[in-house]
Amino acid sequence: MAVRNYTIGMAGHIDHGKTSLTKALTNVDTDRLKEEKERNISIELGYAPLKIDDELHVSIIDVPGHERFIRQMIAGVAGIDLVILVIAADEGVMPQTKEHLEILSFLGIEKGIIAISKIDRVDEELLELAEEDIRDNLKGTVFESAPFVLVDSLSKKGLEELKQQIKKELEHKEMRDARGPFRLPIDQVFSVQGQGTVVRGTVYEGIVEKGSSLQVLPQGIPVKVRQIQVHHEQTEVAKAGQRAALNLGGISKQEIARGDVLVSSEHFLVTDTLDITTKFVGDLASPVKQRAPIKLHTGTTEVMGTIVFFDRNEVVEEDDEVVCQLRLDHPIVCKRGDRFILRRPTPVETIGGGWIIDPKGSKYRFGEDTIKMLMQKKEGTPNERILSILKEKALMTFEALLKFSSMDKDDLTAILNEEKGNTVFELASGEYALYSDFEYIKNRIEEKLTEYHEEFSLRAGFNKAEIVHSFLNLYPKRLVEFVLEKLVEEGFLKKQEQYIQLATFSPHYPEKWSKRMEAVVIAIQKDEIEVQPFEQYMKNEKIPELYKDDFKYYLIQSRKAVAFDENHLLSIEAINKAANLLKSKTGEEFAVKDAKDILGLSRKYLIPLLELFDALNLTKRVEDKRKWV
């Protein structure tokens, strides 16, 4: 049963009951700070898990409502899939409610539920008036048609209805992209005694596993994931849509800050010039002038910069989206499609928001030609539409691409021919996929195998079926198998029976135990046929028991030894020496007594040795004698 993970934001005006409602739903008090307790307001983001059912797991982010903490609010809602807008029945829509609505609209959050809280404080008539007022204020906003749920956190009224409404809203909501490179914008950094640096955030896209190698951007610092927690529970994996805390090795708390981004790939851009499309609020306190200072909020990042227009010198009032550019004081990490909010530093106000059409902008001339170019970037080319479909679906036939793109057959053929060998490749089955997915699978396989070889250096490699299975929640089986076969064909990987290994790897003794394992081999050779149990040699050299089976299998696979029976190994040298001696002193055939006299072995060792000769096809038993083959 596949678990679907989503993040919900709890937004609204200060003291309208967001934190109380979160606690009533989850039994978690998200106000953690002493100052929050004393002042009875949320300052930092609060998080709580809500399990709707076995298939639907939700993280609730309780975002601060006070105007002074608007930056935390923006960071909190930037990665959410659904918002619960909390409006108190006894106060109705307040200024902060309206600003939150604008921010949610700019961030492209379309799914929402209106939770009218504190209903026990008002009578039925006032409640009806409050509902009517709220609906009037929501007209023309993204929440105009949002469902209403009446709740009271103290009496628990309406909580079950709210849970069912959450389930209904998320039922057909597409999950965040767990394929492709991992990205987590960091919103909290702290250290744990004895553990080191811990960062927390919402996984925007991709998957992270314990032991993964990541980078902190924009600094470019490599780190290793030591541990992963999702809502205080240890886990091996965190996926897109989940709140996660990662314990990082290789970095101190002082080197990392809120707004930095954890990524698994170097493909993410670090940039300070963004081409954008933005919509401005309708009631600006004053015009937004050419090259005016602005503060950009995207993900958990906030940075100062200037806004550059190419078709005007100021914005006084504008209903349509405006294509323009941001030039930032410091580089940030972002990609096309990322949403943002713009605020004016003084007087402090939200002035607009939109999405990034090109994270790597350049300097352009003022004029209509630049506006046309930016509009073309915004719309995207037919090629970009095809690549976008493949990114979403991972693997598609030509017929399926025709259907999803609504494109002419000849145009689609031309685009695929143009992109093949560049961004798109074709499987033998006639299906198409992205090279970026090929590279992602390749890099993840390399990472898995590198860690596996380090931990199990005696083993021949990772079981192929297990590698394929580890990708099935992201990619179709035939795509993963195609990548594996291609990497073997190209010499990047080696395949030995059902095991896969890096081409540069050969099984070897673990460095720490190398000398002792070599001593075991020498001892087995020295004892020739009259060997001790293999376990005894391990104990003599104080080699941990956990290496026993791998060490034994390695010696057999590398032809350093042969299994004498379940508990004993014989060196190849000892077997060859005994066989050569026996053969030199017998004719074409010999009896057990002849072998006993020549080799001087007791029946305890002799009979198993002769049976081993048979198994190795050195001899063949005929009645009570053996013939040399």
Side-chain angles (χ1 to χ4, degrees), residues 3-7 57-59 79-81 174-185 201-209 230 237-244 391 440 444 473-474:
V3 175
R4 296 168 64 80
N5 298 290
Y6 296 98
T7 302
H57 292 188
V58 167
S59 295
I80 70 171
D81 304 293
E174 191 173 311
M175 287 194 297
R176 288 182 175 271
D177 191 0
R179 296 196 314 272
F182 169 79
R183 177 166 60 142
L184 181 145
T202 300
V203 182
Y204 270 31
E205 53 197 321
I207 281 180
V208 64
E209 296 179 351
V230 174
V237 178
K239 302 177 182 178
Q242 289 184 315
R243 286 289 306 171
K391 185 179 188 320
Y440 176 75
R444 288 283 305 281
N473 59 343
L474 297 177

Side-chain angles (χ1 to χ4, degrees), residues 186-228:
I186 296 165
D187 55 47
Q188 291 178 350
V189 184
F190 53 95
S191 57
V192 178
Q193 191 169 5
Q195 300 293 323
T197 305
V198 177
V199 300
R200 196 182 276 145
T202 300
V203 182
Y204 270 31
E205 53 197 321
I207 281 180
V208 64
E209 296 179 351
K210 183 179 175 181
S212 293
S213 297
L214 303 176
Q215 267 198 333
V216 177
L217 295 178
Q219 303 93 312
I221 301 172
V223 294
K224 193 95 164 177
V225 180
R226 291 172 174 165
Q227 295 180 67
I228 303 173

Side-chain angles (χ1 to χ4, degrees), residues 533-595:
F534 183 69
E535 191 172 348
Q536 188 57 51
Y537 291 108
M538 296 274 290
K539 286 179 180 176
N540 292 345
E541 293 297 331
K542 296 183 173 56
I543 299 172
E545 173 76 12
L546 66 91
Y547 287 107
K548 178 185 168 186
D549 291 338
D550 284 352
F551 187 19
K552 191 174 178 181
Y553 183 74
Y554 166 77
L555 294 177
I556 294 169
Q557 284 295 109
S558 60
R559 301 288 296 160
K560 292 177 184 291
V562 173
F564 195 24
D565 59 31
E566 190 177 336
N567 301 314
H568 298 77
L569 293 183
L570 290 184
S571 69
I572 295 294
E573 292 85 351
I575 294 168
N576 289 337
K577 182 178 176 181
N580 291 336
L581 177 62
L582 190 58
K583 195 169 188 178
S584 68
K585 294 184 179 293
T586 59
E588 290 185 1
E589 60 181 26
F590 62 91
V592 172
K593 185 179 181 307
D594 299 326

Side-chain angles (χ1 to χ4, degrees), residues 386 389-391 393-399 401 412-413 415-417 419-420 423-435 437 479:
I386 296 301
I389 292 168
L390 285 174
K391 185 179 188 320
K393 303 294 183 182
L395 193 61
M396 298 196 81
T397 62
F398 184 86
E399 290 71 23
L401 279 170
L412 178 59
T413 301
I415 288 171
L416 289 175
N417 287 337
E419 295 293 343
K420 261 196 274 187
T423 57
V424 171
F425 65 94
E426 185 179 3
L427 280 69
S429 60
E431 294 169 294
Y432 294 89
L434 295 176
Y435 269 121
D437 283 336
L479 176 57

Side-chain angles (χ1 to χ4, degrees), residues 50 68 90 96 168 288 325 443 487 555 584 599 624:
L50 174 64
R68 286 172 56 195
D90 58 347
Q96 205 69 54
K168 183 180 177 182
V288 179
Q325 190 174 81
N443 292 338
L487 294 176
L555 294 177
S584 68
L599 298 176
D624 61 344

Side-chain angles (χ1 to χ4, degrees), residues 473-497:
N473 59 343
L474 297 177
Y475 294 102
K477 181 180 179 182
R478 56 193 181 279
L479 176 57
V480 182
E481 288 183 334
F482 173 85
V483 175
L484 277 170
E485 288 164 12
K486 198 72 177 170
L487 294 176
V488 170
E489 184 184 308
E490 292 173 355
F492 183 78
L493 301 177
K494 289 188 291 190
K495 188 168 181 282
Q496 184 179 329
E497 297 175 354

